[in-house]
């Protein structure tokens, strides 16, 4: 298991790639050798790290040629960060989760040693935690999982599901590092995030504000930490990096049962009524 393997899971659109790429950049700033692995079939996780050209995904290369070597799937990013995109099958054909497990098999076959990096950052789609999407934790790649949430019901549904997977793999050494509150869709449900953390025996690692500069950084194919290094978002990501490097032992999360999650999400008035 990569002791410093950090998987960022979360609902689609919750800011995983934005935060994961900025996190890799912050780790590199600390002088660490970083491997960044995008495990989303969209294969867009390392766009901000590899600024030129298209990154060939492992599945894309594997489907198009039989002569696969490590250099065809490892891209050199800024600050010496090595980037890999798992990619996925043709849209509408095949199973995306399977693409992720195949990617890890291929990396091993190609002799890519995850252990030769100081940190490995995984950016993983978390709307579904089928066997394939659980590979980074199930097969002992990522030791720690952090989940991006905005506080909306859908983001917490996804987080709760991810926690169920983390809990299942706790005995294999997987730990929930905590939640990353990212409020780019608004602050309306922000107060739910610490309450959800408390209810599930987790914690909030860091709060990331809405930041219009994030889109500008994205358009310029750079991370927010490199675009506005003194801004609040960059500060939050650097704080996240330092917190992740200092994690002690962590208890298994306690995901909510479906009814308890519904009660948690119910507006206060409805909650009182159901309690009667
Ligand atoms: P995911 O990888 O979870 O699907 P992304 O990182 O691609 O999500 O983010 C989705 C969109 O939200 C992107 O357009 C991104 O620029 C924007 N975004 C994410 N975080 C923030 C933020 N803190 N402030 C402003 N926009 C953000
Ligand atoms: Mg993404």
């Amino acid at each position: 298991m990569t002791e410093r393997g950090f998987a960022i899971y979360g609902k689609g659109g919750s800011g995983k790639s934005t935060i994961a790429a900025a996190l890799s950049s912050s780790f590199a700033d600390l002088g660490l050798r970083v491997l960044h692995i995008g495990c989303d079939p969209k294969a867009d996780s390392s766009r901000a790290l590899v600024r030129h050209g298209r990154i060939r995904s492992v599945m894309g290369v594997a489907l198009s040629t039989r002569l696969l070597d490590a250099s065809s799937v490892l891209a050199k990013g800024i600050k010496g960060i090595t980037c890999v995109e798992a990619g996925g099958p043709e849209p509408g054909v095949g199973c995306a989760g399977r693409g992720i497990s195949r990617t890890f098999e291929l990396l091993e076959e190609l002799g890519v040693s995850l252990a030769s990096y100081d940190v490995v950052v995984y950016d993983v789609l978390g709307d579904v935690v089928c066997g394939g999407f659980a590979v980074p934790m199930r097969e002992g790649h990522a030791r720690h999982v952090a989940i991006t949430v905005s506080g909306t019901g859908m983001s917490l549904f996804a987080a709760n599901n991810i926690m169920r997977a983390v809990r299942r793999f706790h005995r294999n050494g997987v730990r929930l590092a905590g939640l990353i509150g990212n409020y780019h869709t608004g602050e309306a449900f922000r107060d739910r995030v610490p309450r959800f953390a408390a209810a599930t025996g987790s914690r909030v690692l860091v709060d990331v504000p809405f930041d219009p500069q994030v889109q500008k950084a994205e358009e310029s194919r750079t991370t927010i930490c490199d675009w506005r290094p003194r801004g609040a978002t960059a500060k939050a990501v650097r704080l996240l990096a330092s917190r992740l490097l200092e994690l002690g032992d962590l208890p298994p999360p306690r995901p909510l049962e479906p009814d308890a999650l519904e009660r948690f999400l119910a507006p206060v008035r409805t909650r009182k009524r159901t309690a009667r």
Side-chain angles (χ1 to χ4, degrees):
M1 175 171 297
T2 319
E3 192 56 29
R4 282 177 170 179
F6 304 106
I8 312 295
Y9 277 81
K11 186 183 144 34
S14 61
K16 295 178 297 293
S17 302
T18 302
I19 292 168
L23 183 64
S24 285
S25 176
S26 301
F27 281 142
D29 284 337
L30 296 173
L32 301 170
R33 283 166 303 166
V34 183
L35 175 63
H36 181 99
I37 308 186
C39 300
D40 185 317
K42 288 201 300 299
D44 61 354
S45 181
S46 32
R47 280 194 85 232
L49 298 171
V50 182
R51 289 191 183 143
H52 304 286
R54 191 170 65 87
I55 304 145
R56 300 179 77 203
S57 73
V58 177
M59 289 314 287
V61 174
L63 292 172
S64 65
T65 169
R66 296 181 63 197
L67 289 170
L68 194 66
D69 65 55
S71 66
S72 55
V73 294
L74 300 183
K76 265 290 164 227
I78 54 164
K79 305 172 192 174
I81 299 171
T82 304
C83 302
V84 175
E85 289 288 348
E90 281 289 301
V93 190
C95 162
R98 172 78 192 114
I100 295 174
S101 23
R102 186 74 193 115
T103 293
F104 284 100
E105 285 165 14
L106 283 171
L107 288 177
E108 202 177 317
E109 283 166 28
L110 295 172
V112 178
S113 161
L114 273 52
S116 63
Y117 294 89
D118 297 319
V119 288
V120 186
V121 174
Y122 303 81
D123 173 3
V124 201
L125 189 72
D127 294 82
V128 276
V129 196
C130 76
F133 289 100
V135 164
M137 43 180 150
R138 194 185 62 209
E139 289 175 15
H141 297 290
R143 175 156 165 74
H144 288 105
V145 171
I147 311 173
T148 48
V149 288
S150 61
T152 61
M154 289 300 117
S155 79
L156 297 182
F157 260 115
N160 201 59
N161 260 336
I162 295 158
M163 283 184 186
R164 288 172 59 192
V166 176
R167 190 175 170 85
R168 176 160 309 126
F169 299 120
H170 185 86
R171 72 179 118 104
N172 303 9
V174 177
R175 297 288 179 268
L176 181 69
L179 305 176
I180 300 168
N182 184 22
Y183 310 106
H184 68 296
T185 50
E187 301 266 327
F189 300 104
R190 181 175 175 148
D191 66 315
R192 270 186 185 162
V193 174
R195 284 200 293 113
F196 183 71
T200 53
S202 172
R203 64 185 181 143
V204 183
L205 287 163
V206 76
D207 289 305
V208 182
F210 166 78
D211 180 354
Q213 293 297 330
V214 166
Q215 264 93 23
K216 296 196 175 148
E218 199 170 270
E219 291 300 320
S220 307
R221 272 187 88 159
T222 188
T223 79
I224 187 65
C225 287
D226 296 282
W227 179 254
R228 286 288 181 275
R230 294 204 196 130
T233 309
K235 279 187 191 146
V237 174
R238 285 196 295 272
L239 179 64
L240 175 64
S242 63
R243 295 219 159 127
L244 290 176
L245 294 174
E246 287 163 5
L247 295 167
D249 198 25
L250 295 152
R254 299 186 308 268
L256 301 177
E257 291 300 323
D259 286 347
L261 182 57
E262 289 300 347
R263 276 196 303 278
F264 179 89
L265 296 174
V268 176
R269 227 184 300 143
T270 325
R271 237 187 280 154
K272 278 193 191 138
R273 213 180 300 138
T274 34
R276 248 183 253 142

